[in-house]
Amino acid sequence: METISFFLVYLLVFSILRTATAVDTLFPSQSIKDGETLVSADGNFELGFFSPTVSSTSRFLGIWYKKVSNGTVVWVSNRETPISDNKGVLLFSNHGILSLLNSTNSTVWSSNTSKAAQEPVAHLLNSGNLVVKDGKDKNPAEDNLWQSFDYPCDTFLPGMKIGKNLVTGFEWFLSSWKSIDDPAPGQYFVRINISGYPQLVIEKGSKIVYRGGSWNGLHFTGMKANAIFPVKLEFKLNENEVYYTSEPKNSSVVTRTMLNPSGFGQILIWSDKLRDWESLSTSNLDQCSNYALCGAYATCNGNDFPGVCSCLEGFTPKLVGKWNSGVWYDGCVRRTPLVCNKRDSYHKHTGLKLPDTSHSKVNKTMNIKECRQLCLSDCSCTAYTNSDIREGGSGCLLWFGDLLDMRDDWGQDGQDLYIRLAASEIANIARKRQSTEKERVAIIVGSVIIGMGMLILPVLCIRWRKRNKKGLTKKNHTMDSDEKENEEMELPLFTFGTIANATNNFSVDNLLGKGGFGPVYKGTLEEGQEIAVKRLSKNSGQGLKEFKNEVILIAKLQHRNLVKLLGCCIQGDEKLLIYEYMANKSLDYFIFDQTRSKLLDWSKRVNIIGGIARGLLYLHQDSRLRIIHRDLKSGNILLDNAMNPKISDFGLARTFWGEQTEAKTNRLVGTYGYMSPEYAIDGVFSMKSDVFSFGVLVLEIVSGKKNRGFSHPDHEHNLLGHAWRLWTEKRPMELIDDALGDFRLPSEVLRCIHVGLLCVQQRPEDRPNMSSVILMLGSESALPQPKQPGFFTERNLPEAESSTSNCKSSSANECTVTLLEPR
Ligand SMILES: *[C@@H]1O[C@H](CO)[C@@H](O)[C@H](O)[C@H]1NC(C)=O
Ligand SMILES: *[C@@H]1O[C@H](CO)[C@@H](O)[C@H](O)[C@H]1NC(C)=O
Ligand SMILES: *[C@@H]1O[C@H](CO)[C@@H](O)[C@H](O)[C@H]1NC(C)=O
Ligand SMILES: *[C@@H]1O[C@H](CO)[C@@H](O)[C@H](O)[C@H]1NC(C)=O
Ligand SMILES: *[C@@H]1O[C@H](CO)[C@@H](O)[C@H](O)[C@H]1NC(C)=O
Ligand SMILES: *[C@@H]1O[C@H](CO)[C@@H](O)[C@H](O)[C@H]1NC(C)=O
Ligand SMILES: *[C@@H]1O[C@H](CO)[C@@H](O)[C@H](O)[C@H]1NC(C)=O
């Protein structure tokens, strides 16, 4: 008894002592050794020594989150000078200089001060900023002798600055890590480029690779306003300094912006629900994010794959052949040269990401009329607009020379731009516009005369919409707002009759397969368009209105690696979804077939892996809906003519069972062989369960073998177990599909296996999220060692498996199970 109570008292005292040592201040008499830390007063941030990965022995002094996302590093001092043992120590060397010493007492890093301090102290503030002050200073709050916020690494925290002191030349900028396990400065920087009107850019060396754009009073012109909703941005521009800084609108919201080693910027917000960072926006949204992809005088449209680039009105491709083959960087040239007199005029474009302002000038007091005059008076001025969009617009921003790096799919987030054209071109545009008006009237009249009612109208509706997208009106932004609304909101409704006709009355001959939510039929519309029709099973338990709303939401999910929803049909009990038809069936049709698998060489397979990853990232992070697929498998990866992968059946789990408020379900949907352990056993799902399924897919694509049903003479492991075994025995190359023949790219294949194994690790928290997966696939940096995968053998599958009697064992991989109360 006594020993036990003594032990309890000891524990109590020990924990009190431990709490007492959680201090936020370092005095000159003290030091921080490896293993000791400073903790900010609110407990949000911690400073101490860390290694970037478990396997790494390098020690760095840094600051990381403590309360949320424990261990996510936000700042590193000795980025380029790691300490090789755990004998590092941080202390004040003299007069307020912080020094980091290694075991031989050599300084591997030190801070700097503007002046010597009498009584220096270092505080780790609640913002994550490490500041050095002079205790003697009368006004210490304002006088930091040094602060870590002046030397950001790859993470931009609220309160930091990015910009430049124009007097001293001191610059605040982000620099990427070299790789996820090496915090040394990498190739990429986020900075404010001050040539012309200052703009936020990501640079690789001195080359711009991405342009966040210039400040328009509310946000950066190259960023969508909704992407930054949780933070209040402030932009300062005067003769002394130019910078931007941010603060959270709600102090209980944790956000950070980071530049990853591949040069992608991401705005992240901590989700308590998911216990993970969610990406609010990323700089590599799509192809159009690449700086000046379309060259001069052209706009980029991320929705128009593979069209992407179009010349501005009044311009024509510089090199037509190259342009038409999809090489756009030469851009466009004027159809009619400027005469450079008062007869030049301006064509107004709306909804644009404004062009590069490297060669621009600004006058903040001018109005738009004066702006136009000023531009007209200078032959080299090519465009103008308001510099500030608040309160109806003010200020004047003028461009000189070529207009670069615009996009026209920004919608509400885009801006107006007046582009200079020769007078004859302006007249041309007006003529064209008139003739499109006529065409539109003709179509409407036509449909009335045909008058065959519901059967025909929906088809016309599609045709009309298509014409609108691709036709002459594309660059004509004078469409009235009602019509725009319609175009955005409306999902084509097909009549049941139309679809019954198209699918030969849902004939067995037209059956393409049976998916998780009902059979899928091939169909051909009267106008010849091929479609795939999913006839949903009837027990969705959802009201009609909710269903329709949900389908409209899904229809808005548009990504080149997602199958496109063309429309739907609701009639009585029947709910049909109409998709684009994929000529090349699904991935399983190829990779698991001896002959057909030869058609998928390595470059196709790696393209498929990358495409699936990007589609999934879009579902998880980049779309507004944040969808967990829950049934990712080879049968749900469809292939188009060019063997590009498109994920299907996304959003259906959500449609059927509503948005789950908690990450636990008592209705299990998924496919054995692809289900993560925590999902199959406990019904707990998260983005990490999709990551698990993705990992299984990657290993299947590399090996050409099914996870479930895999057998090997030497052991009873499934494919994951087999891959793991080969990995630990250092012969992973034996996993590779024989069908790939001699043509091999060893390092890349190996990387895919490595990433696949990281994705199927037992514990969800060990698995990377999809943005890291894309990063890992795309870079050559070292990766962490994978731990043992979940579901190693068939035997540790849950008991409930036996209740899926409706699955034929031969096609177990394809069969989707629906279990009630798995426990
Ligand atoms: C937080 O991270 C540190 C460093 O990685 C680790 O030592 C500590 O155990 C973690 N704390 C919790 C509660 O996970
Ligand atoms: C490093 O400095 C400490 C304190 O000044 C001293 O005790 C120690 O012997 C020194 N170590 C070496 C290797 O010089
Ligand atoms: C300590 O740092 C110095 C200077 O960077 C270096 O030459 C020395 O090898 C380091 N000592 C150890 C034990 O890492
Ligand atoms: C330290 O600060 C001074 C004055 O601010 C500056 O001149 C000097 O270049 C700085 N040194 C380093 C290594 O940053
Ligand atoms: C700004 O960007 C331009 C174009 O890439 C580059 O030439 C220039 O050096 C940059 N200016 C600064 C101050 O970084
Ligand atoms: C701030 O965020 C917290 C947590 O998300 C929320 O509960 C609270 O209502 C928010 N406060 C305001 C003023 O929006
Ligand atoms: C801006 O425009 C106003 C009004 O035309 C003019 O008075 C002023 O001098 C201009 N400022 C600059 C810096 O050119």
Side-chain angles (χ1 to χ4, degrees):
M1 269 317 267
E2 253 173 57
T3 36
I4 289 174
S5 58
F6 171 78
F7 184 64
L8 281 179
V9 168
Y10 172 81
L11 264 186
L12 198 63
V13 170
F14 184 72
S15 62
I16 290 172
L17 276 178
R18 271 185 62 91
T19 335
T21 57
V23 291
D24 65 350
T25 309
L26 179 74
F27 293 102
S29 56
Q30 302 172 323
S31 65
I32 296 170
K33 299 193 186 68
D34 198 330
E36 299 173 339
T37 61
L38 290 185
V39 176
S40 65
D42 63 3
N44 278 333
F45 289 97
E46 186 165 32
L47 173 143
F49 291 83
F50 74 96
S51 298
T53 55
V54 185
S55 56
S56 159
T57 53
S58 299
R59 302 296 282 169
F60 297 89
L61 178 82
I63 298 173
W64 57 81
Y65 286 99
K66 185 176 169 68
K67 259 191 199 156
V68 304
S69 185
N70 178 33
T72 298
V73 174
V74 297
W75 182 76
V76 185
S77 63
N78 53 324
R79 297 180 74 174
E80 291 177 276
T81 48
I83 295 172
S84 53
D85 53 23
N86 55 5
K87 302 222 170 63
V89 56
L90 177 74
L91 40 74
F92 277 109
S93 53
N94 53 20
H95 306 303
I97 303 243
L98 281 174
S99 293
L100 180 60
L101 307 181
N102 68 11
S103 59
T104 51
N105 287 350
S106 310
T107 304
V108 296
W109 171 85
S110 68
S111 67
N112 194 359
T113 56
S114 42
K115 60 178 194 283
Q118 312 246 284
E119 289 175 10
V121 283
H123 291 291
L124 181 59
L125 304 183
N126 291 344
S127 57
N129 191 4
L130 178 68
V131 299
V132 176
K133 293 170 188 292
D134 192 343
K136 270 260 163 75
D137 201 312
K138 291 233 172 54
N139 205 354
E142 283 171 13
D143 250 351
N144 291 332
L145 298 175
W146 178 88
Q147 56 174 354
S148 62
F149 269 21
D150 281 341
Y151 305 89
C153 300
D154 66 345
T155 305
F156 183 69
L157 293 174
M160 280 184 173
K161 290 174 179 174
I162 290 184
K164 195 163 184 174
N165 182 323
L166 300 172
V167 180
T168 64
F170 185 87
E171 196 177 354
W172 300 278
F173 60 94
L174 299 186
S175 61
S176 65
W177 284 24
K178 228 175 205 154
S179 64
I180 48 174
D181 52 10
D182 185 358
Q187 294 178 293
Y188 297 93
F189 304 95
V190 175
R191 63 209 302 179
I192 302 274
N193 182 312
I194 56 164
S195 59
Y197 192 46
Q199 50 185 353
L200 184 72
V201 293
I202 297 179
E203 291 179 347
K204 183 179 187 182
S206 62
K207 251 178 57 193
I208 295 178
V209 294
Y210 165 81
R211 216 170 47 84
S214 52
W215 187 254
N216 64 17
L218 290 178
H219 56 88
F220 291 99
T221 56
M223 289 181 179
K224 296 203 170 190
N226 68 356
I228 48 176
F229 70 87
V231 289
K232 202 169 91 198
L233 291 182
E234 193 195 341
F235 185 73
K236 220 174 188 122
L237 172 60
N238 56 40
E239 61 271 25
N240 295 326
E241 52 187 1
V242 45
Y243 67 79
Y244 100 94
T245 182
S246 73
E247 64 179 270
K249 284 184 185 149
N250 177 342
S251 59
S252 55
V253 172
V254 183
T255 71
R256 67 190 168 114
T257 302
M258 80 165 291
L259 176 65
N260 69 33
S262 306
F264 303 145
Q266 265 189 320
I267 301 177
L268 299 153
I269 183 167
W270 176 257
S271 160
D272 272 332
K273 207 166 92 189
L274 300 171
R275 308 222 33 81
D276 199 357
W277 295 97
E278 285 188 83
S279 167
L280 292 175
S281 87
T282 149
S283 66
N284 65 321
L285 215 53
D286 52 31
Q287 269 201 86
C288 296
S289 312
N290 295 315
Y291 174 72
L293 178 81
C294 299
Y297 302 110
T299 57
C300 196
N301 187 322
N303 302 325
D304 263 8
F305 189 78
V308 182
C309 297
S310 342
C311 292
L312 291 169
E313 271 190 295
F315 293 81
T316 176
K318 187 172 178 191
L319 304 173
V320 179
K322 227 167 145 188
W323 180 270
N324 289 342
S325 67
V327 182
W328 299 293
Y329 56 77
D330 298 296
C332 306
V333 291
R334 288 179 190 281
R335 226 191 314 253
T336 314
L338 293 176
V339 272
C340 195
N341 60 21
K342 290 275 152 64
R343 294 196 52 229
D344 288 347
S345 192
Y346 294 91
H347 179 57
K348 178 182 177 182
H349 282 260
T350 61
L352 285 188
K353 172 184 176 181
L354 294 182
D356 188 350
T357 53
S358 292
H359 305 283
S360 68
K361 281 186 193 154
V362 71
N363 181 326
K364 294 200 156 170
T365 56
M366 269 185 183
N367 65 32
I368 197 82
K369 259 191 171 155
E370 295 167 316
C371 195
R372 183 189 179 97
Q373 283 312 316
L374 188 57
C375 190
L376 263 187
S377 70
D378 185 332
C379 263
S380 57
C381 179
T382 44
Y384 72 90
T385 194
N386 279 135
S387 56
D388 193 321
I389 59 168
R390 286 173 299 180
E391 291 162 15
S394 62
C396 173
L397 184 52
L398 302 170
W399 277 263
F400 300 90
D402 290 350
L403 302 174
L404 285 169
D405 196 43
M406 289 168 276
R407 50 191 302 167
D408 65 350
D409 54 355
W410 244 209
Q412 294 286 317
D413 290 299
Q415 277 178 246
D416 298 349
L417 182 69
Y418 300 85
I419 295 169
R420 186 176 200 149
L421 288 178
S424 60
E425 281 300 333
I426 301 272
N428 259 341
I429 292 169
R431 256 201 309 281
K432 257 193 226 159
R433 192 168 293 175
Q434 269 179 357
S435 66
T436 355
E437 291 285 322
K438 272 187 209 144
E439 189 185 349
R440 175 159 55 175
V441 170
I443 290 172
I444 293 169
V445 169
S447 70
V448 170
I449 290 175
I450 293 169
M452 286 189 55
M454 292 307 289
L455 266 174
I456 304 280
L457 272 173
V459 178
L460 271 173
C461 180
I462 302 169
R463 187 183 287 149
W464 165 225
R465 194 165 290 107
K466 265 198 197 150
R467 204 178 282 266
N468 229 349
K469 280 224 168 95
K470 296 263 178 265
L472 294 167
T473 49
K474 191 175 160 208
K475 291 286 175 293
N476 173 351
H477 296 279
T478 55
M479 234 187 269
D480 60 56
S481 60
D482 270 5
E483 198 174 287
K484 255 192 179 158
E485 197 74 45
N486 272 337
E487 199 178 356
E488 272 162 24
M489 290 308 299
E490 198 186 285
L491 179 73
L493 280 177
F494 292 80
T495 65
F496 190 74
T498 310
I499 300 305
N501 262 345
T503 56
N504 215 351
N505 246 332
F506 301 99
S507 136
V508 194
D509 296 339
N510 286 38
L511 194 64
L512 288 171
K514 268 193 158 85
F517 304 93
V520 184
Y521 299 87
K522 185 181 172 184
T524 311
L525 293 176
E526 276 182 20
E527 58 169 16
Q529 185 181 8
E530 293 188 312
I531 52 174
V533 179
K534 183 171 278 256
R535 191 176 194 179
L536 296 172
S537 20
K538 294 173 185 170
N539 58 350
S540 86
Q542 206 182 18
L544 211 62
K545 192 162 159 240
E546 289 86 352
F547 176 79
K548 215 170 138 184
N549 284 342
E550 199 62 39
V551 169
I552 287 175
L553 283 179
I554 296 176
K556 282 191 179 159
L557 293 175
Q558 301 232 340
H559 188 275
R560 80 189 66 121
N561 297 113
L562 301 182
V563 172
K564 202 189 246 153
L565 185 64
L566 299 176
C568 73
C569 165
I570 307 170
Q571 192 162 314
D573 265 359
E574 292 284 356
K575 297 189 181 102
L576 307 177
L577 294 174
I578 291 92
Y579 292 97
E580 60 178 329
Y581 174 72
M582 289 290 131
N584 272 325
K585 307 206 170 162
S586 50
L587 184 58
D588 55 344
Y589 181 73
F590 285 91
I591 49 170
F592 301 137
D593 182 275
Q594 267 199 352
T595 333
R596 288 189 284 262
S597 62
K598 296 210 168 63
L599 297 171
L600 287 185
D601 61 17
W602 178 245
S603 70
K604 289 210 178 71
R605 290 189 201 208
V606 82
N607 175 50
I608 288 170
I609 290 172
I612 300 170
R614 285 189 294 275
L616 200 53
L617 175 69
Y618 176 82
L619 289 178
H620 283 179
Q621 303 198 326
D622 295 340
S623 72
R624 282 225 206 121
L625 293 180
R626 308 239 159 80
I627 281 182
I628 299 171
H629 190 295
R630 289 203 257 171
D631 196 14
L632 195 67
K633 57 177 172 182
S634 54
N636 274 340
I637 307 299
L638 308 188
L639 298 170
D640 72 5
N641 290 327
M643 289 289 181
N644 291 310
K646 297 196 182 224
I647 301 174
S648 71
D649 268 9
F650 52 88
L652 282 187
R654 178 185 148 116
T655 313
F656 264 51
W657 292 298
E659 204 170 356
Q660 304 272 348
T661 44
E662 70 239 52
K664 190 153 163 56
T665 176
N666 57 7
R667 300 185 77 170
L668 200 56
V669 51
T671 305
Y672 284 133
Y674 293 96
M675 264 190 267
S676 63
E678 74 276 8
Y679 183 36
I681 296 171
D682 296 328
V684 175
F685 67 86
S686 68
M687 292 188 278
K688 294 296 180 70
S689 20
D690 274 356
V691 170
F692 183 94
S693 313
F694 173 79
V696 175
L697 263 175
V698 170
L699 294 173
E700 289 186 337
I701 292 169
V702 172
S703 67
K705 309 228 168 39
K706 290 183 192 190
N707 183 33
R708 195 166 152 76
F710 176 86
S711 72
H712 195 277
D714 297 350
H715 57 70
E716 289 195 38
H717 294 162
N718 62 11
L719 178 65
L720 302 191
H722 180 58
W724 173 244
R725 207 182 148 114
L726 291 174
W727 181 263
T728 53
E729 288 168 9
K730 305 232 177 323
R731 42 195 190 106
M733 300 302 279
E734 288 174 35
L735 191 68
I736 297 166
D737 193 352
D738 292 337
L740 282 171
D742 292 336
F743 178 67
R744 287 178 189 178
L745 302 160
S747 75
E748 202 182 16
V749 184
L750 212 56
R751 201 163 184 87
C752 285
I753 297 174
H754 196 157
V755 171
L757 282 170
L758 287 172
C759 291
V760 299
Q761 292 178 101
Q762 174 88 31
R763 286 154 39 102
E765 53 272 35
D766 288 336
R767 296 173 211 148
N769 59 23
M770 286 315 293
S771 52
S772 312
V773 165
I774 287 174
L775 209 76
M776 292 176 181
L777 288 172
S779 75
E780 275 163 21
S781 57
L783 301 176
Q785 277 303 314
K787 297 181 193 148
Q788 176 172 319
F791 284 162
F792 204 75
T793 65
E794 299 279 312
R795 272 196 296 266
N796 50 23
L797 280 170
E799 288 291 306
E801 185 200 357
S802 55
S803 70
T804 62
S805 53
N806 55 335
C807 305
K808 282 173 271 157
S809 61
S810 63
S811 64
N813 228 19
E814 278 73 48
C815 106
T816 293
V817 292
T818 304
L819 299 180
L820 298 173
E821 332 273 27
R823 297 227 258 185

